[in-house]
Amino acid sequence: MRYLDRLQPLALLVMRLALGAVMLAHGYHKVFGELQHHAQFVASLGLPAWTAYLSSFTEFFGGLLVLLGLFTRVAAFAICINMSVAILKVHLHKGLIGPGGYEFPLALAALAFALIFLGAGPIAFDHIRAPGGGKFK
């Protein structure tokens, strides 16, 4: 099974691409179309309306950064918090599975959580920017 260890950079790339693509797509619709509607929805949850802008830009730009593998840990941290708030305020009362359930945001939060600790891996701009993968020493 040691040969699988050599594929870890590929696994990190797949994780980043999956999380980044989903977050970028969700953020794109909010930033470039439904920002006011999203702000009203967030305000109806009892949160300040400005947090809708924060979450929208976190999804869009955080997703873009994760896709590129640039400042991955910071972007993944922001995405993890964003998804945790979404689970607690929107999805939790609907249960794990079913319409509006929290299984999808939970999976996204778990991917982000892993990237916080694992980093972007060697197939990323973080690796070019900080040789050694930006690992904690």
Side-chain angles (χ1 to χ4, degrees), residues 17-27 59 104 108:
L17 293 179
L19 178 63
V22 170
M23 296 309 298
L24 184 65
H26 278 268
E59 289 179 15
F104 187 60
L108 296 174

Side-chain angles (χ1 to χ4, degrees), residues 12 18 46 65 113 118 130:
L12 287 169
L65 288 172
F113 186 79
L118 297 174

Side-chain angles (χ1 to χ4, degrees), residues 2-134:
R2 277 198 171 286
Y3 65 93
L4 290 176
D5 289 343
R6 289 181 284 188
L7 296 177
Q8 286 179 357
L10 183 61
L12 287 169
L13 175 65
V14 169
M15 286 173 58
R16 281 193 308 103
L17 293 179
L19 178 63
V22 170
M23 296 309 298
L24 184 65
H26 278 268
Y28 180 85
H29 291 292
K30 291 175 185 158
V31 171
F32 298 107
E34 302 173 2
L35 201 49
Q36 291 296 76
H37 176 44
H38 183 59
Q40 291 171 352
F41 173 71
V42 168
S44 76
L45 297 173
L47 296 169
W50 64 267
T51 60
Y53 299 95
L54 184 63
S55 73
S56 298
F57 289 111
T58 295
E59 289 179 15
F60 182 73
F61 290 110
L64 182 62
L65 288 172
V66 167
L67 260 177
L68 295 172
L70 187 60
F71 302 107
T72 303
R73 292 177 195 261
V74 174
F77 181 74
I79 290 170
C80 190
I81 290 173
N82 190 49
M83 290 294 96
S84 298
V85 171
I87 290 168
L88 292 172
K89 292 301 246 176
V90 179
H91 300 280
L92 191 63
H93 73 278
K94 297 176 183 175
L96 178 63
I97 57 173
Y102 63 89
E103 77 275 13
F104 187 60
L106 179 63
L108 296 174
L111 282 172
F113 186 79
L115 288 174
I116 293 168
F117 294 98
L118 297 174
I123 309 171
F125 283 111
D126 279 344
H127 189 71
I128 296 167
R129 186 180 56 80

